[in-house]
Amino acid sequence: MPVLPSWLTEPLWEQFSALLPQRPRYHPDHPLRCHRPRVKDRIVFDKLLQVLRFGCSYEAIADTTCSASTIRSRRDEWIGLGVFSRLNQIALESYDRIIGLVLDQIAVDGCITKAPGGGEVAGRSPVDRGKQGLKRSAMTDGYGIPLGHVLAGANCHDSPLLAPTLDRLSGLGPLPDDITVHLDAGYDSIKTRTLLDERGLRGRIAHKGEKAPIQAGKRWHVERTHAWQNAFHRLARCFERRATMIDAFFDLADAIITIRSLIRRSWITQRWDNRPRRRP
């Protein structure tokens, strides 16, 4: 069974492969050019999708077509080239051009996940008996498209992460004049309101001590996006120790979420050659 449907994997791979540099199958410095050929990028890409989706180790995914060391080395090579971040950026730009990002209504919230191996951005989890955990402060538009994230230890409060999370808006081009930021009761403080006023943003913040369903607003979009991201088990239970690797997997997952939403929402308004017969 494929890790992702073909209507999603193929456009994802076409854009990803366009960002990769051209490499010869055999190393040109070899005197006889008869050594082991380079593993195809598509094979490694499919292996990384399996690691992201199933959350298993590289050794469990490796087989006769591709070894675990090849997956790791190719992963590090692509991270160094910035391919994952560029892929996520292109996915956002395409979505904004075809569907349109709802940037006048954004939501920010944190999510705690497990990090059994610890690492650079892990910390003691207050909800998992002090085990190592990871917190991500995610920002989404009014529909739930991920716009950026900030990683920290699980013992970090949501409020200090709001400013660096909102800084991700600077890379989205022209912004609306009136932006409303939807936040939960964890951000209910004078410091948060002062921060939003300094940035020219309007905040809709739930009040502490009051029931959330009465004033939930549009905060549920970011909660749904957290559920989408946690469906990729490599993010819900992260064994990576370096922050650059975690960011790369998040960029890949966010690109998948964005492209999937783009195809589903444009199915009723757009036409293209390999358009699925049924709505995805």
Side-chain angles (χ1 to χ4, degrees):
M1 180 177 181
V3 61
L4 293 174
S6 59
W7 57 264
L8 179 57
T9 306
E10 293 306 321
L12 185 70
W13 165 247
E14 289 180 6
Q15 184 57 66
F16 189 87
S17 60
L19 300 174
L20 300 179
Q22 295 294 332
R23 299 295 178 96
R25 187 179 182 187
Y26 295 96
H27 199 284
D29 296 338
H30 194 277
L32 301 178
R33 296 188 180 182
C34 59
H35 61 296
R36 189 174 182 179
R38 176 183 172 90
V39 178
K40 295 182 179 180
D41 291 331
R42 178 60 188 270
I43 297 177
V44 182
F45 179 74
D46 290 338
K47 296 295 183 183
L48 285 177
L49 289 181
Q50 295 177 34
V51 171
L52 174 64
R53 179 63 180 87
F54 301 135
C56 53
S57 64
Y58 297 101
E59 286 75 11
I61 291 297
D63 54 19
T64 56
T65 62
C66 184
S67 64
S69 60
T70 300
I71 301 175
R72 294 191 185 95
S73 61
R74 202 72 59 89
R75 174 206 61 191
D76 296 339
E77 176 186 340
W78 292 343
I79 291 176
L81 294 174
V83 178
F84 295 102
S85 60
R86 180 58 181 157
L87 176 68
N88 187 28
Q89 181 182 359
I90 292 175
L92 276 177
E93 293 174 353
S94 302
Y95 184 93
D96 191 22
R97 183 173 63 254
I98 299 174
I99 304 298
L101 293 170
V102 186
L103 296 178
D104 58 336
Q105 303 287 334
I106 63 175
V108 179
D109 195 14
C111 179
I112 296 178
T113 56
K114 296 178 180 294
E120 298 176 350
V121 290
R124 289 175 57 87
S125 176
V127 296
D128 194 17
R129 298 166 291 174
K131 296 181 180 180
Q132 292 294 299
L134 180 70
K135 170 169 283 189
R136 64 174 179 269
S137 176
M139 177 175 57
T140 65
D141 76 334
Y143 180 75
I145 301 301
L147 302 178
H149 67 274
V150 173
L151 300 177
N155 53 351
C156 183
H157 195 268
D158 291 342
S159 184
L161 301 177
L162 179 59
T165 304
L166 292 175
D167 290 340
R168 300 297 189 271
L169 288 173
S170 59
L172 298 177
L175 298 175
D177 296 332
D178 189 11
I179 301 178
T180 301
V181 183
H182 298 266
L183 303 169
D184 62 11
Y187 300 89
D188 186 16
S189 65
I190 299 177
K191 182 178 179 181
T192 299
R193 291 179 172 84
T194 303
L195 173 65
L196 295 177
D197 292 339
E198 292 175 351
R199 294 172 178 258
L201 305 174
R202 183 175 60 181
R204 186 175 182 184
I205 308 174
H207 300 291
K208 296 179 180 179
E210 298 183 13
K211 294 182 179 180
I214 299 178
Q215 47 179 310
K218 297 183 178 181
R219 203 174 62 247
W220 65 273
H221 291 289
V222 68
E223 302 289 350
R224 182 180 63 176
T225 303
H226 281 313
W228 286 344
Q229 292 173 335
N230 289 337
F232 299 97
H233 292 214
R234 196 68 174 184
L235 306 182
R237 189 177 179 87
C238 183
F239 287 90
E240 303 290 350
R241 298 182 59 85
R242 287 189 290 172
T244 54
M245 296 182 183
I246 303 175
D247 285 329
F249 277 115
F250 267 104
D251 288 334
L252 181 57
D254 290 348
I256 294 173
I257 293 173
T258 304
I259 295 176
R260 181 178 59 190
S261 299
L262 171 61
I263 295 175
R264 286 177 174 175
R265 300 191 68 186
S266 62
W267 188 87
I268 58 176
T269 59
Q270 307 292 330
R271 296 292 183 270
W272 60 94
D273 294 338
N274 54 350
R275 176 175 176 268
R277 294 185 178 181
R278 295 183 178 180
R279 185 175 182 179

